[in-house]
C-alpha cells in the first residue's frame, strides 16, 4: 500500500469533521486512519496482521517446509500478542515432528519454546501478580515466582539446549534468569553455566530504591511509550503524562492532588482520546505560562510510520487542544525525537524534529519549525542547513561553545554523530553548520540512540553523552558475554564526550569507567544523592522478547568517573524500559525515578515503575523554578551557576534549563544538589535572549525558589511532603514541610 491512499483518507477525515464539535476530533480521526494503515503483514510491528497472513498461507499450502515456517511465524506473533499458551502448543507440536537427531532444526524451536515458557511465567507472576520486586535483577525476595511452572519448564529446555551447545551465551543468560525466577540462583545453577551478578558498588554508596508505583496508582500498564513529569496546572506539584507507541492505546494524564495521590484526568483533559506517541516532550510554545505537549509518532515503522505528530495546547483549565494543523506543524514522517529551544534568541521556542529515513526507502529529512510568535510555525530546515536525512534516533540542544546560541546534536542509527553549530545572524537569519568532524565526533561510526548535552564534570562547558545501539546478536548474548568478561567491541557502549573548551570533544568513555553494556532506549539524568554531580538511568532493550536485560543506573563519582550501581540500587528491571524522568515526586528533597515500561508488542506490556529514592547521604539541595520575561517563559536554555563552599573548598555546579535526555522528560524546574554545603553563596542566571546575568546571594538551602527574569528579588514556596510507602492506596500520607 502506498502513502497516497493514507494521505487521501486523512484529508477526507479532516474535511468530514469540520462541523464536529468534539475536542481534538480531527486528530482522533486522522490517527484512526493511520492505525488502519498499520495493519499489514509486512509491518513487523503488526503481529495481528502476521497471524492473518500465516493463516492464509496455511490454508493454501500442503508443503511441509512452508507450513513449518508459517506455523513458527504465527507462534512468534502469538507470543508478541501475549498468547503464550497458544504459542507453546504450536511450538510443542512442531518439536514433536522433528527427529531427536536433527539438532539443527530442533534448537531454534526449543529456544522459542523456552522463551514462551519464560514469558508465561512472567505473565503469571510479574504481570498478573505484580509486586514491588517483580523482574528486578537480580531477582530475589518478592520477585521470586510463586507459580514456578513456566520458569521450571524453561530451565529444562535451556539445560537441554546447552548440553548440545554449551557455548550458547544467550541460552546461558536466560537459564540464569530462569533460576533466579524460581529462587534457585545461584545454588541450583549447573556450575559450568553459572553467571555472577555484576556489582560495582562494593562500598554500598547507593541505598536500594523501592518501586512504589502501585501505591499512588502510577503503575499503568501498556506497551512502549514516553513520559513527562512536570507541573501542568501550575500548582507547584509535578503531574505525569504518558503516551503509548500503539495507535490504539490512549495517552494518560495523572494530576497530582498535592496530598500524595493522583487523579486520572485523561478523559476530562482530552488527552485520553488521543492515541500513539513513542515519545512526548513538554514546551510552552505560546508563552502563556502553561506547559504544552508535543507528541512524536511513527518511529521505527519506516513506510508504515507516516503518522502525524501532535502539538497539544494547554488551555490552563485542565484541558488540552490539538493545534497541530492550525500551527503549521502537521506533517507525515516517522519520528520519535524532537527538541524545543529558542534557536534564534527571539524569546519564543522553536522545535527541531529528528525524522527517520530508512535505507532504500522514501527520504524523510529532519524538520526545523521556527516560531512565528503568533501560534504558528514556519518550516525552514533546508534553508537553515539542518535538513539531515538519516535514521535519527535522538536530538538534544545546548550551547556547547558558550557563544550565546543554542546548538543541536543528533544521534543516528546510521552511525553518524552530528553536531550542528548555530551560526545564526543577529538579524534573525537561522543558519547551522555541520562541525562534527572538526569537533572530533566522527571517528566512531557506531549506531546510537538516546543522547543529551550536560555538564557532567561541572566545568561550565556542556559535554555530550550518547548511548550505543550496536548489536548483531541478541541482547541476552551480550549480557552473558559481559558477565564472563568476553570482548564485545562497541556493542551497547555508552559514549561520553568531554568538552575541551575549544570547540572540540574528547571521548573519555573508558577513562570515565563507562564499560558496561547498556543498549539504552529511554534515558535521562539527575542527581540521586544531591552531591551536585549528575547521574543517569537507562531504560534498556529491543523488540525481541528474549532481550531480558536489566535497566541500568550509573552514579557520577566527583565528575571524574561513573559507577554502575544498578544492583545495589535495585532498579535493574528486566522488562523493556522507555521514557525516563527524574523528579522529586514525594517532595522529600531527593530525586526519584519514574520510567515508562513496556516493549514494542501487546504481549510485552508491563507496569510502569516509580523508584522511590530512600535518601542517600545527608546532602542539601535547592529547587530553582525560573520564569522568563524577555526570554521564553519556560526559561528553556537559561543557564545556572551555583557557587558554595563544601568542606572549606569553593565549588560550582552548572545546569541548563531543559527536560533532560532525548527520550523521557524531567521537570523544567531544576533540582540541584549542593553536597554538604550549608549555604549557597551565589547563584548566577544567564538568560538566553539578552545574554544578561542575574546574580542572587545567600539563597536558602533545602527550599523551592522561584526567580523571574528581571526581578531583583526571588521568592520561595512550600510543598507538602508525601509518603508513598504505606502500601495501601488511598492511605498515603502527606505533611507540610
Amino acid at each position: 500500500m502506498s502513502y497516497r491512499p493514507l494521505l487521501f483518507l486523512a484529508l477526507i477525515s479532516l474535511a468530514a469533521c469540520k462541523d464536529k464539535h468534539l475536542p481534538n476530533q480531527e486528530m482522533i480521526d486522522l490517527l484512526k486512519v493511520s492505525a488502519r494503515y498499520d495493519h499489514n503483514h509486512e509491518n513487523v510491528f503488526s503481529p495481528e496482521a502476521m497471524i492473518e497472513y500465516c493463516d492464509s498461507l496455511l490454508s493454501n499450502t500442503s508443503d511441509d517446509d512452508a507450513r513449518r515456517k508459517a506455523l513458527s511465524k504465527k507462534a512468534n506473533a502469538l507470543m508478541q500478542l501475549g498468547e503464550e499458551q497458544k504459542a507453546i502448543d504450536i511450538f510443542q507440536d512442531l518439536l514433536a515432528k522433528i527427529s531427536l537427531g536433527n539438532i539443527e532444526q530442533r534448537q531454534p524451536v526449543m529456544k522459542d519454546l523456552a522463551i514462551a515458557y519464560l514469558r508465561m511465567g512472567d505473565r503469571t507472576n510479574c504481570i498478573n501478580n505484580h509486586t514491588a520486586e517483580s523482574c528486578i535483577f537480580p531477582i530475589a525476595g518478592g520477585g521470586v515466582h510463586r507459580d514456578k511452572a513456566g520458569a521450571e519448564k524453561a530451565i529444562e529446555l535451556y539445560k537441554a539446549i546447552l548440553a548440545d551447545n554449551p557455548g550458547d551465551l544467550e541460552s546461558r543468560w536466560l537459564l540464569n534468569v530462569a533460576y533466579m525466577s524460581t529462587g534457585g540462583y545461584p545454588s541450583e545453577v549447573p556450575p559450568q553455566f553459572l553467571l555472577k551478578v555484576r556489582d560495582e558498588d562494593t562500598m554500598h554508596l547507593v541505598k536500594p530504591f523501592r518501586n512504589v508505583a502501585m501505591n499512588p496508582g502510577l503503575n499503568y500498564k501498556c506497551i512502549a511509550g514516553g513520559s513527562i513529569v512536570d507541573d501542568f496546572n501550575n500548582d507547584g506539584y509535578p503531574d505525569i503524562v504518558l503516551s503509548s507507541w500503539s495507535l490504539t492505546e490512549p495517552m494518560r494524564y495523572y494530576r497530582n492532588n498535592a496530598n500524595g495521590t493522583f487523579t486520572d484526568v485523561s478523559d476530562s483533559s482530552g488527552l485520553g482520546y488521543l492515541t500513539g506517541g513513542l515519545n512526548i516532550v513538554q514546551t510552552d510554545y505560546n508563552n502563556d505560562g502553561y506547559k504544552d505537549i508535543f507528541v512524536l509518532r511513527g518511529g521505527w515503522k519506516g513506510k508504515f510510520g507516516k503518522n502525524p505528530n501532535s502539538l497539544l495546547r494547554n488551555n490552563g483549565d485542565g484541558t488540552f487542544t490539538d493545534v497541530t494543523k492550525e500551527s503549521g506543524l502537521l506533517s507525515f514522517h516517522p519520528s520519535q525525537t524532537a527538541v524545543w529551544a529558542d534557536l534564534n534568541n527571539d524569546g519564543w521556542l522553536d522545535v527541531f524534529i529528528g525524522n527517520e529515513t530508512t535505507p532504500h526507502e522514501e527520504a524523510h529529512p529532519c524538520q526545523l519549525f521556527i516560531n512565528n510568535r503568533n501560534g504558528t510555525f514556519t518550516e525552514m530546515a533546508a534553508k537553515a542547513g539542518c535538513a539531515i536525512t538519516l535514521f535519527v534516533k535522538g536530538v538534544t540542544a545546548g550551547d556547547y561553545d558558550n557563544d550565546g546560541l543554542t546548538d543541536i546534536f543528533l544521534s543516528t542509527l546510521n552511525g553518524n554523530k552530528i553536531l550542528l553549530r548555530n551560526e545564526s545572524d543577529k538579524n534573525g537569519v537561522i543558519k547551522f553548520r555541520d562541525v562534527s568532524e572538526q569537533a572530533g565526533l566522527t571517528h566512531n561510526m557506531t549506531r546510537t540512540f538516546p543522547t543529551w548535552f550536560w555538564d557532567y564534570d561541572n566545568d561550565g562547558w556542556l559535554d555530550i553523552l550518547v548511548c550505543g545501539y550496536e548489536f548483531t546478536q541478541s541482547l541476552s548474548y551480550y549480557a552473558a558475554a559481559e558477565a564472563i568478561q568476553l570482548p564485545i567491541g562497541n556493542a551497547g557502549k555508552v559514549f561520553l564526550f568531554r568538552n575541551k573548551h575549544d570547540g572540540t570533544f574528547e571521548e573519555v568513555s573508558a577513562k570515565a569507567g563507562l564499560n558496561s553494556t547498556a543498549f539504552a532506549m529511554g534515558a535521562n539524568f539527575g542527581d540521586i544523592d544531591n552531591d551536585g554531580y549528575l547521574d543517569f538511568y537507562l531504560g534498556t532493550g529491543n523488540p525481541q522478547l528474549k532481550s531480558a536485560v536489566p535497566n541500568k543506573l550509573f552514579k557520577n563519582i566527583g565528575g571524574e568517573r561513573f559507577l554502575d550501581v544498578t544492583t545495589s540500587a535495585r532498579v535493574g528491571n528486566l522488562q523493556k524500559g522507555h521514557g525516563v524522568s527524574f523528579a522529586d515526586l514525594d517532595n522529600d528533597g531527593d530525586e526519584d525515578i519514574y520510567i515508562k515500561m513496556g516493549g514494542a508488542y501487546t504481549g510485552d506490556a508491563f507496569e510502569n515503575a516509580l523508584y522511590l529514592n530512600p535518601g542517600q547521604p545527608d546532602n542539601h539541595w535547592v529547587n530553582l523554578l525560573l520564569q522568563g520575561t524577555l526570554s521564553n517563559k519556560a526559561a528553556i536554555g537559561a543557564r545556572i551557576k551555583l557557587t558554595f563552599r563544601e568542606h572549606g573548598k569553593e565549588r560550582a555546579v552548572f545546569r541548563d534549563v531543559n527536560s533532560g535526555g532525548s527520550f523521557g522528560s524531567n521537570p523544567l524546574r531544576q533540582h540541584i544538589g549542593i553536597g554538604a554545603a550549608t549555604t549557597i553563596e551565589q547563584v548566577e542566571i544567564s538568560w538566553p535572549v539578552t545574554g544578561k546575568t542575574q546574580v542572587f546571594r545567600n539563597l536558602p538551602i533545602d527550599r523551592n525558589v522561584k526567580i523571574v527574569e528581571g526581578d531583583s528579588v526571588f521568592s520561595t514556596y512550600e510543598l507538602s511532603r508525601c509518603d508513598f510507602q504505606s502500601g495501601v492506596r488511598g492511605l498515603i500520607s502527606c505533611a507540610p514541610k
Side-chain angles (χ1 to χ4, degrees), residues 63 111 197 217 251 369 385 427 454 492 554:
D63 181 79
K111 293 175 79 167
V197 172
M251 295 179 67
F369 288 94
N427 61 9
W454 64 342
F554 293 85

Side-chain angles (χ1 to χ4, degrees), residues 484-504:
I484 60 175
Q485 299 181 326
L486 282 182
I488 53 178
N490 285 327
K493 180 177 178 178
V494 178
F495 293 91
L496 179 63
F497 295 97
R498 186 182 66 83
N499 194 322
K500 295 173 67 177
H501 310 178
D502 59 1
T504 68

Side-chain angles (χ1 to χ4, degrees), residues 12-201:
I12 289 176
S13 292
L14 289 173
C17 61
K18 281 184 179 178
D19 297 327
K20 296 182 180 180
H21 300 293
L22 292 175
N24 305 325
Q25 188 63 54
E26 290 194 27
M27 182 57 68
I28 293 168
D29 289 347
L30 187 52
L31 293 172
K32 287 179 180 177
V33 173
S34 297
R36 290 199 296 271
Y37 183 63
D38 251 2
H39 193 81
N40 187 307
H41 78 274
E42 293 180 1
N43 179 3
V44 297
F45 299 112
S46 180
E48 299 93 341
M50 176 56 71
I51 290 170
E52 292 175 9
Y53 176 70
C54 290
D55 283 341
S56 175
L57 290 177
L58 290 166
S59 65
N60 289 287
T61 184
S62 58
D63 181 79
D64 288 343
D65 186 57
R67 291 184 63 83
R68 183 170 64 250
K69 290 178 180 177
L71 283 167
S72 179
K73 288 182 179 179
K74 179 178 179 178
N76 275 287
L78 285 166
M79 266 205 293
Q80 291 165 355
L81 289 175
E83 300 283 353
E84 289 89 5
Q85 187 57 61
K86 291 180 181 179
I88 287 169
D89 293 342
I90 293 175
F91 287 135
Q92 286 181 328
D93 187 56
L94 286 172
L95 199 59
K97 294 176 181 177
I98 304 173
S99 65
L100 293 176
N102 192 343
I103 295 175
E104 186 177 345
Q105 279 193 13
R106 288 183 66 84
Q107 286 242 337
V109 180
M110 291 172 69
K111 293 175 79 167
D112 283 340
L113 181 57
I115 283 292
Y117 274 123
L118 266 185
R119 295 297 303 174
M120 186 173 72
D122 284 349
R123 185 166 307 284
T124 303
N125 296 273
C126 303
I127 297 175
N128 297 339
N129 295 287
H130 189 79
T131 74
E133 295 181 273
S134 290
C135 281
I136 301 297
F137 182 88
I139 299 170
V144 173
H145 292 185
R146 294 181 182 180
D147 181 350
K148 298 177 173 54
E152 287 174 343
K153 289 179 179 178
I155 286 171
E156 293 309 308
L157 283 162
Y158 283 125
K159 286 167 68 175
I161 291 167
L162 288 164
D164 289 327
N165 184 11
D168 184 344
L169 293 183
E170 172 193 298
S171 296
R172 185 172 172 182
W173 172 263
L174 293 170
L175 174 70
N176 280 259
V177 171
Y179 269 114
M180 289 180 188
S181 300
T182 64
Y185 178 92
S187 58
E188 297 176 19
V189 183
Q192 69 272 31
F193 299 131
L194 179 65
L195 297 173
K196 293 183 179 180
V197 172
R198 178 172 181 159
D199 186 5
E200 292 184 4
D201 189 11

Side-chain angles (χ1 to χ4, degrees), residues 87 137 168 324 353 384 601 683:
F137 182 88
D168 184 344
T324 314
I353 304 173
Y601 303 104
V683 60

Side-chain angles (χ1 to χ4, degrees), residues 150-273:
E152 287 174 343
K153 289 179 179 178
I155 286 171
E156 293 309 308
L157 283 162
Y158 283 125
K159 286 167 68 175
I161 291 167
L162 288 164
D164 289 327
N165 184 11
D168 184 344
L169 293 183
E170 172 193 298
S171 296
R172 185 172 172 182
W173 172 263
L174 293 170
L175 174 70
N176 280 259
V177 171
Y179 269 114
M180 289 180 188
S181 300
T182 64
Y185 178 92
S187 58
E188 297 176 19
V189 183
Q192 69 272 31
F193 299 131
L194 179 65
L195 297 173
K196 293 183 179 180
V197 172
R198 178 172 181 159
D199 186 5
E200 292 184 4
D201 189 11
T202 56
M203 300 293 292
H204 302 290
L205 299 176
V206 176
K207 300 175 185 176
F209 287 61
R210 182 172 177 79
N211 180 13
V212 298
M214 293 181 291
N215 299 353
L218 297 175
N219 56 327
Y220 182 65
K221 178 170 74 72
C222 68
I223 68 170
S227 69
I228 303 173
V229 178
D230 213 327
D231 179 9
F232 286 96
N233 59 356
N234 290 349
D235 66 351
Y237 291 83
D239 312 298
I240 295 177
V241 176
L242 306 171
S243 65
S244 166
W245 190 34
S246 171
L247 289 170
T248 64
E249 289 184 334
M251 295 179 67
R252 310 309 301 173
Y253 174 24
Y254 296 96
R255 186 188 65 212
N256 194 326
N257 297 324
N259 64 359
T261 66
F262 289 78
T263 298
D264 186 341
V265 292
S266 306
D267 290 349
S268 63
S269 69
L271 296 183
Y273 298 99

